[in-house]
Amino acid sequence: FCINGIVAPDRQPNPHYYELKKVYQAIRFGLCDNRSVKITNRYGFMNLNRFDFSWQLLENGVAIEQGRIPAVHAVPGAHAEVTVPYGATFSDGKDYHLLISARLKEATLWGPKAFEIAWEQFQMPDTFGKVNKQKTKIRTKKLTAILSHTYTT
């Protein structure tokens, strides 16, 4: 008996619990443009109005803005397009990501209020921009190698 399931015997989630939760999420997100997100309801019998949706704009991994998305109504199998009202402008040389999250509005038998059901993180298209090519020379006693790296700034 290996005790390597999704949840450990002491009811602590193992690391692959979070991967499975992400793969099984029934709400999908797609970035339409810099401010619009398509939210798809893949549930069979539940409207998305049961969830609170929120967003965060991250600059180099640090939240610089956050807010809530007004009520999202999408019947099973349908989608809704929402606007994310951030006010930040993007600076050169910094990495920007948009994080969208869906959480329970009310507690259920299996999850407390504000339990995260689904999430997605998008790299903002304005930050794709310039590509810098840089070569790195690595020297060892027996081998010299030149590696080519491509960075997005």
Side-chain angles (χ1 to χ4, degrees):
F1 191 72
C2 296
I3 309 178
N4 61 355
I6 302 297
V7 179
D10 63 354
R11 296 188 180 181
Q12 295 298 313
N14 286 323
H16 47 281
Y17 163 86
Y18 301 102
E19 181 180 0
L20 186 68
K21 180 181 169 185
K22 177 72 174 136
V23 170
Y24 283 1
Q25 70 185 25
I27 302 172
R28 298 284 191 241
F29 303 94
L31 191 62
C32 299
D33 59 37
N34 278 1
R35 295 190 186 270
S36 297
V37 175
K38 178 181 173 181
I39 301 174
T40 304
N41 183 355
R42 296 187 56 192
Y43 280 105
F45 303 97
M46 194 171 9
N47 194 317
L48 293 185
N49 61 6
R50 293 184 176 203
F51 304 104
D52 283 326
F53 291 85
S54 60
W55 61 271
Q56 284 186 336
L57 184 64
L58 308 172
E59 179 184 80
N60 292 333
V62 178
I64 57 171
E65 282 191 57
Q66 59 187 2
R68 295 203 173 275
I69 296 173
V72 176
H73 296 281
V75 296
H79 69 270
E81 192 169 314
V82 297
T83 301
V84 179
Y86 63 83
T89 55
F90 300 139
S91 302
D92 287 340
K94 296 190 178 178
D95 196 25
Y96 293 91
H97 288 86
L98 179 64
L99 178 65
I100 306 287
S101 177
R103 297 177 178 272
L104 289 174
K105 277 187 181 178
E106 298 175 6
T108 64
L109 292 174
W110 53 267
K113 180 179 179 176
F115 179 77
E116 188 173 58
I117 297 297
W119 64 274
E120 193 66 61
Q121 186 177 39
F122 301 100
Q123 183 175 10
M124 298 307 291
D126 276 359
T127 64
F128 293 162
K130 305 168 189 165
V131 175
N132 294 332
K133 292 191 177 180
Q134 177 180 344
K135 292 186 178 179
T136 304
K137 196 177 237 187
I138 299 174
R139 292 180 188 229
T140 63
K141 289 181 180 178
K142 296 183 179 179
L143 175 69
T144 299
I146 297 177
L147 304 174
S148 179
H149 299 285
T150 302
Y151 296 99
T152 302
T153 59

